[in-house]
Amino acid sequence: HQNFSAGNNENSIEAHIGINGEANLDFLNIPLTIPEMTLPYTTLTTPQVKDFSLWEKTGLKDFLKTTKQSFDLSVKAQYKKNKDKHIIPTPFYAKDFQVLSTPNDIFIPAMGNITYDFSFKSGIITLNTNVGLYNQSDIVAYFLTSSSSVTDALQYKLEGTSSLTRKRGLKLATALSLSNKFVEGNHDSTISLTKKNMEASVTTSAEVQIPILRMKFKQELNGNTKSKPTVSSSIELMYDLNSTATGTINHKLNLESLTSYFYIESSTKGDIKGSVLSIEYSGTIASEASTYLNSKSTRSSVKLQGASKVDGIWN
């Protein structure tokens, strides 16, 4: 079953599509037979698979319960008109290039608000997506997509917003977030522009948790031109490879620049420890470097340190 509707009036334009029905998955009950095969360029053979049921053997029977699956789909789009208008003058010029009159100004409607909604529902999973673009005192873009399911691995939420502010210069701010059983992440960034200064900041973080790996990551980047152009960056990483290897990595970078000089410094630190075949090992490393440059001289320095240990072999 499906339906469609659309409308256009002085306030909005919109359209809607709806579909619902059933999907037949009986073909998954058909038993499969795969004969014994020899792998190309080898003497290895794969065993014969006889009367293998995808429905029974892969767990779909317990997951879906029935081969008759119903679904419901809905899509809606809407544009809300803006009553404001932009005026473009069309002056009439005489031979002496003096403006005489403006009898035929052109009026262009300002951008309105746009929204889009999508949903899909079935016995396995429910998906929802919402998107919007809003033109108000600020211009704001927004989206949200998410799912719900009887299986945790299929559930997620992804959300983002971006706004453009036009007061006292320009400012663009963006935020993103993702959440799932295995992965979580966030991103925030801001860029500001004024007549006297430019400033930017970016922060990104992520966390991964899967059976063989746990990891945390964070990055920060900042820069501005207030008194002098400066940029700073930092990265942090922590990981655990199922206890066979765990460690951290930290990196920092700073940069300053003027027409008269240039300066950059960086530092990196890392460590690791773990065990292989009951033998424990560990190691550390650290480095520092800097460079200063002007029209008269150049100075640089580098420092590197490291240590390692393997039980019963070396320290």
Side-chain angles (χ1 to χ4, degrees), residues 218-220 232-237 248-254 264-270 287 289:
K218 185 177 181 181
Q219 180 186 34
E220 293 183 354
S232 64
S233 170
S234 67
I235 296 175
E236 299 177 6
L237 175 66
T248 63
I249 298 174
N250 294 277
H251 176 74
K252 294 183 179 180
L253 174 72
N254 292 298
I264 184 172
E265 65 175 354
S266 68
S267 64
T268 303
K269 295 180 180 179
S287 68

Side-chain angles (χ1 to χ4, degrees), residues 70 127 144 149 229 268:
S70 60
L127 300 172
L144 169 65
S149 173
T268 303

Side-chain angles (χ1 to χ4, degrees), residues 31-35 47-53 57:
L32 299 176
T33 297
I34 303 174
Q48 182 189 37
V49 177
K50 188 175 181 181
D51 297 332
F52 182 83
S53 170
K57 301 299 184 180

Side-chain angles (χ1 to χ4, degrees), residues 28-45:
L28 295 174
N29 267 320
I30 300 173
L32 299 176
T33 297
I34 303 174
E36 183 181 88
M37 291 185 295
T38 301
L39 298 178
Y41 309 108
T42 71
T43 59
L44 301 175
T45 59

